[in-house]
């Protein structure tokens, strides 16, 4: 079984330069550039931004900040990816001492950008990796792709002994900025931000003492055979021909179904027998007493919950389903506030927060929870191998967090309070000439 082990040696999250910060003021300027919008769309977007849970220091793509969101180029898409991939990989190799030619397996997951040559080929070329490297490019799997990549590496380790693997998780935001006026497709502009992470994994038992964590379990659930689930989060063109991501009302239903099915497989593997027996007994009693509660206490087997920071509603929904308190949900809330929804890379910013706050102690179990288009729920459980406390990507701002929820009110809530005035419903005006002070 030792050869089947999967150890995490290091991970490196991307932090963009300050000139790429996308605060609310910048977002409003971008919104007002869209000539397709009317007052109801402006109201929806501004309300969403103010209530999104995102702070004022998230990062956006350069082409959008420069006003070129309607005319993205292939070069700009590559530049966005290069900055994330090469920036995190350079730091990863430098910090660990592992050199690019040592890598046996390379997996890149970027859902919306699949160029030719592939992104894995671009990395192999940049770092002059070996000609027998096993490389994989995953696309179209959304926010849960990173867990797919981890599961893939775990399975490859079964047939590749004493190997190193690198997983790169990110997304291209610039080429996929929605420029139409459909509310259900504008949400992605409000939540998604630039970011990503590179992770170094190994199954070398001799490096066990250097590992941060060990992968204990990985469960993947795909309910794409259900038409509603398949179409609840899908990339389409609107009636005007603008590409974007459609998020339907069936999303929450699909997420609940996939998550429940995933837990049915995962729970017996992670909870102690006494908790499973307690749950079974209460469930039996519930048939005779409908007031009896039969919820599982996941905290009997898991100490930390790494929830994908997909949005305030996602965090609240998963937290309620799992019976978590504010302490448990704090890492996801703060990752959303500081970095936004960085798609497949988001979980690693949450993990980084936990480590920077010195929450992770040797022997602790950590559950990573991800949901993504397809529709999929991919979760995994890690065991912490030693006390962790690296400041990582959070080091520059750790003293500011956590921010109390009452203090997370968007600073522009008052400035744009007029957008909530229902008396303006009848107004149709051109807001593109508004000057922002």
């Amino acid at each position: 079984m030792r050869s089947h082990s999967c150890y995490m040696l290091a991970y490196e999250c991307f932090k963009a330069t300050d000139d790429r910060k996308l605060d609310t003021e910048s977002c409003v300027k971008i919104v007002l550039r869209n000539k397709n919008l009317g007052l109801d769309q402006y109201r929806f977007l501004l309300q969403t931004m103010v209530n999104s849970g995102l702070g004022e220091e998230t990062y956006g793509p350069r082409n959008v900040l420069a006003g070129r969101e309607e005319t993205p180029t292939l070069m700009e898409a590559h530049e966005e990816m290069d900055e994330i991939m090469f920036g995190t990989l350079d730091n990863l190799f430098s910090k660990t001492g592992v050199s690019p030619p040592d890598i046996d397996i390379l997996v890149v997951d970027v859902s919306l950008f699949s160029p030719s040559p592939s992104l894995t080929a671009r990395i192999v070329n940049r770092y002059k990796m070996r000609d027998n490297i096993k490389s994989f490019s995953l696309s179209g799997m959304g926010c849960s792709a990173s867990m797919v990549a981890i599961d893939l590496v775990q399975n490859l380790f079964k047939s590749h002994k004493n190997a190193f693997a690198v997983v790169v998780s990110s997304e291209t935001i610039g080429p996929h900025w929605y420029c139409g006026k459909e509310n259900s497709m504008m949400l992605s502009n409000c939540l998604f931000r630039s970011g990503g992470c590179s992770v170094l994994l190994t199954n070398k038992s001799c490096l066990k003492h250097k590992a941060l964590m060990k992968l204990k379990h990985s469960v993947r659930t795909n309910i794409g055979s259900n038409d509603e689930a398949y179409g609840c989060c899908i990339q389409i063109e609107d009636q005007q021909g603008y590409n974007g991501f459609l998020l339907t009302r069936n999303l929450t239903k699909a997420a609940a179904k996939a998550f429940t099915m995933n837990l049915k497989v995962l729970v017996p593997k992670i909870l102690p027998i006494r908790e499973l027996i307690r749950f079974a007994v209460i469930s039996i009693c519930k048939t005779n007493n409908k007031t009896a509660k039969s919820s599982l206490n996941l905290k009997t087997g898991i100490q930390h919950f790494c929830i994908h920071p997909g949005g305030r509603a996602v965090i609240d929904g998963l937290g309620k389903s799992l019976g978590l308190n504010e302490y448990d949900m704090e890492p996801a809330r703060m990752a959303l506030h500081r970095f936004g929804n960085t798609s497949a890379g988001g979980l690693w910013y949450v993990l980084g927060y936990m480590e920077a706050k010195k929450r992770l102690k040797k022997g602790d179990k950590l559950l990573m929870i991800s949901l993504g288009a397809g529709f999929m729920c991919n979760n995994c459980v890690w065991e912490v191998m030693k006390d962790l406390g690296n400041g990582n990507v959070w080091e520059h701002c750790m003293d500011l967090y956590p921010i109390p929820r009452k203090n997370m009110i968007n600073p522009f809530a008052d400035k744009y309070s007029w957008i909530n005035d229902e008396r303006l419903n009848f107004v149709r005006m051109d807001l593109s000439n508004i000057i922002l002070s």
Side-chain angles (χ1 to χ4, degrees):
M1 290 298 292
R2 286 188 176 182
S3 61
H4 294 174
S5 296
C6 179
Y7 298 105
M8 183 197 304
L9 292 179
Y11 64 100
E12 188 71 25
C13 291
F14 175 73
K15 178 178 174 290
T17 52
D18 287 348
D19 62 314
R20 291 181 57 183
K21 285 186 178 180
L22 193 59
D23 57 17
T24 305
E25 189 82 0
S26 301
C27 290
V28 172
K29 291 179 180 178
I30 295 169
V31 168
L32 295 180
R33 286 202 299 258
N34 189 341
K35 304 299 191 298
N36 296 307
L37 306 184
L39 184 64
D40 51 347
Q41 283 90 21
Y42 286 119
R43 175 184 289 133
F44 171 80
L45 276 173
L46 292 175
Q47 286 176 336
T48 302
M49 285 190 293
V50 167
N51 298 316
S52 65
L54 274 67
E56 296 299 293
E57 297 192 344
T58 61
Y59 303 103
R62 295 186 187 280
N63 70 303
V64 174
L65 288 166
R68 298 191 299 273
E69 62 269 21
E70 291 199 44
T71 57
T73 66
L74 180 62
M75 181 180 294
E76 287 173 330
H78 271 301
E79 288 174 350
E80 184 181 352
M81 281 294 91
D82 289 350
E83 197 169 351
I84 296 172
M85 296 190 307
F86 300 154
T88 55
L89 287 171
D90 285 349
N91 289 337
L92 193 69
F93 292 136
S94 175
K95 289 181 178 180
T96 62
V98 175
S99 64
D102 294 331
I103 304 303
D104 303 281
I105 300 167
L106 173 64
V107 185
V108 176
D109 57 89
V110 176
S111 291
L112 300 179
F113 185 46
S114 185
S116 183
S118 66
L119 292 174
T120 52
R122 196 171 181 87
I123 291 174
V124 170
N125 177 261
R126 160 68 182 265
Y127 293 101
K128 307 305 176 188
M129 293 177 167
R130 300 201 315 262
D131 57 7
N132 65 342
I133 190 171
K134 308 301 178 186
S135 61
F136 303 85
S137 293
L138 307 181
S139 64
M141 293 186 173
C143 300
S144 66
S146 192
M147 295 299 94
V148 177
I150 295 295
D151 182 71
L152 174 60
V153 168
Q154 181 189 34
N155 281 284
L156 288 169
F157 276 168
K158 295 177 182 178
S159 57
H160 295 78
K161 297 181 179 180
N162 296 316
F164 282 116
V166 165
V167 169
V168 181
S169 299
S170 186
E171 190 56 270
T172 45
I173 308 299
H176 305 99
W177 197 268
Y178 178 62
C179 298
K181 62 178 183 180
E182 298 296 326
N183 287 0
S184 57
M185 297 174 71
M186 290 191 292
L187 284 171
S188 59
N189 292 357
C190 299
L191 294 174
F192 283 91
R193 296 292 184 265
S194 295
C197 182
S198 291
V199 186
L200 178 63
L201 305 161
T202 189
N203 59 352
K204 295 185 177 185
S205 57
C206 62
L207 295 178
K208 178 180 178 180
H209 66 287
K210 291 186 177 182
L212 304 180
M213 293 189 286
K214 177 181 179 180
L215 185 62
K216 300 293 290 183
H217 307 287
S218 178
V219 177
R220 293 169 54 185
T221 303
N222 191 322
I223 59 172
S225 59
N226 180 286
D227 291 340
E228 284 188 353
Y230 174 80
C232 72
C233 179
I234 189 169
Q235 187 180 25
I236 62 170
E237 285 186 353
D238 65 14
Q239 293 183 349
Q240 293 180 292
Y242 290 106
N243 289 322
F245 248 90
L246 173 67
L247 304 176
T248 75
R249 293 184 178 183
N250 292 323
L251 178 60
T252 53
K253 180 180 177 181
K257 181 178 181 181
F259 186 50
T260 300
M261 293 175 65
N262 187 284
L263 286 184
K264 285 182 179 179
V265 178
L266 184 62
V267 161
K269 300 179 179 181
I270 62 176
L271 295 189
I273 294 178
R274 66 179 183 276
E275 174 61 19
L276 297 175
I277 294 175
R278 184 196 68 83
F279 176 74
V281 171
I282 295 178
S283 297
I284 294 173
C285 294
K286 189 177 179 181
T287 59
N288 299 320
N289 181 7
K290 294 183 179 181
T291 62
K293 295 182 179 180
S294 57
S295 58
L296 280 166
N297 182 7
L298 293 183
K299 293 185 181 181
T300 58
I302 299 293
Q303 286 75 46
H304 308 283
F305 297 84
C306 194
I307 300 173
H308 168 62
R312 180 177 289 174
V314 172
I315 297 170
D316 289 345
L318 288 174
K320 183 178 180 181
S321 298
L322 296 171
L324 305 183
N325 56 35
E326 280 301 317
Y327 177 85
D328 300 319
M329 295 187 287
E330 177 187 307
R333 290 198 197 282
M334 299 306 113
L336 177 66
H337 183 270
R338 177 60 185 85
F339 294 99
N341 181 349
T342 55
S343 190
L347 285 171
W348 304 100
Y349 291 94
V350 181
L351 177 65
Y353 182 90
M354 294 178 178
E355 182 178 3
K357 283 294 185 183
K358 296 181 170 57
R359 291 189 176 193
L360 305 177
K361 305 299 181 182
K362 182 178 180 180
D364 286 355
K365 302 295 193 306
L366 179 145
L367 173 61
M368 281 188 168
I369 305 170
S370 66
L371 300 165
F375 192 87
M376 299 184 295
C377 177
N378 303 314
N379 301 340
C380 69
V381 176
W382 299 90
E383 179 182 353
V384 181
M385 299 297 289
K386 57 185 175 183
D387 292 356
L388 302 179
N390 191 307
N392 55 71
V393 73
W394 288 90
E395 190 170 17
H396 67 289
C397 63
M398 200 72 264
D399 292 342
L400 303 176
Y401 288 89
I403 298 176
R405 294 192 70 180
K406 63 180 181 180
N407 295 339
M408 292 180 71
I409 299 174
N410 189 286
F412 291 87
D414 292 333
K415 183 173 182 178
Y416 298 109
S417 60
W418 58 268
I419 209 72
N420 295 313
D421 192 341
E422 296 299 328
R423 292 172 296 179
L424 296 177
N425 278 341
F426 69 93
V427 178
R428 292 296 180 270
M429 61 178 71
D430 180 9
L431 300 179
S432 60
N433 294 321
I434 290 180
I435 299 176
L436 301 173
S437 58

